[in-house]
Amino acid sequence: MNELITALQATPPSTWQILSLCALAFALFMSLIPGKWDPTRFINDKVKHVLTFMVLSLLIDLAFPAASVCWWKPAGLMAFGVFIEVCQHMTRYRRFSFGDIIANGVGIGLYLGISLGIPALVASEGGCQPWPECMSVLFNL
């Protein structure tokens, strides 16, 4: 696991930025296809929202590790979630859902809670870069 964390840290932010953009585009695509074409339709919708926005939060954190203002990351992801719901409202086969927006916020909040709630992270400098410290504490590396 230590090698994985080292590899994640060694990967240039530009790679994570491209991956983040691809993940955002994929999330938008999956949210706008008709439900009958969704290969993940057997998974609870709210669970998908929570997991998706936890992963997107992680990717955004890895993509912008030196960001001096951390608030824009969750705020931007929440805005993206609202944008998805507005786009769904414009289709005939999807609906706007406040529940989905709340689930997105729960996913972002869970990621922030995991990454910022660990004592080793609170004591470390650069509170905007939680991933390595978080994983080290979680997996006792």
Side-chain angles (χ1 to χ4, degrees):
M1 188 56 129
N2 208 5
E3 296 85 24
L4 175 63
I5 293 171
T6 304
L8 290 175
Q9 290 173 326
T11 306
S14 58
T15 302
W16 293 115
Q17 291 167 1
I18 292 168
L19 262 168
S20 296
L21 185 61
C22 291
L24 290 167
F26 183 72
L28 180 63
F29 170 77
M30 290 300 291
S31 68
L32 294 178
I33 62 173
K36 64 182 178 184
W37 295 349
D38 183 3
T40 63
R41 65 184 168 273
F42 61 91
I43 301 172
N44 181 286
D45 182 54
K46 302 308 179 241
V47 171
K48 287 191 289 188
H49 279 267
V50 169
L51 292 175
T52 298
F53 277 80
M54 283 180 74
V55 170
L56 289 174
S57 295
L58 167 66
L59 289 174
I60 294 295
D61 249 3
L62 290 170
F64 300 98
S68 59
V69 180
C70 294
W71 62 268
W72 68 266
K73 294 175 184 180
L77 283 174
M78 283 302 295
F80 178 69
V82 171
F83 173 73
I84 285 174
E85 294 304 316
V86 169
C87 290
Q88 285 182 343
H89 179 69
M90 293 181 197
T91 69
R92 287 184 231 150
Y93 44 86
R94 296 277 188 152
R95 285 181 282 183
F96 185 95
S97 170
F98 284 111
D100 289 350
I101 294 171
I102 292 169
N104 298 344
V106 168
I108 295 167
L110 283 173
Y111 174 77
L112 290 174
I114 290 169
S115 65
L116 298 176
I118 295 176
L121 176 64
V122 174
S124 71
E125 291 184 17
C128 205
Q129 304 171 37
W131 178 248
E133 294 89 354
C134 173
M135 295 312 291
S136 295
V137 171
L138 282 177
F139 295 103
N140 296 323
L141 300 175

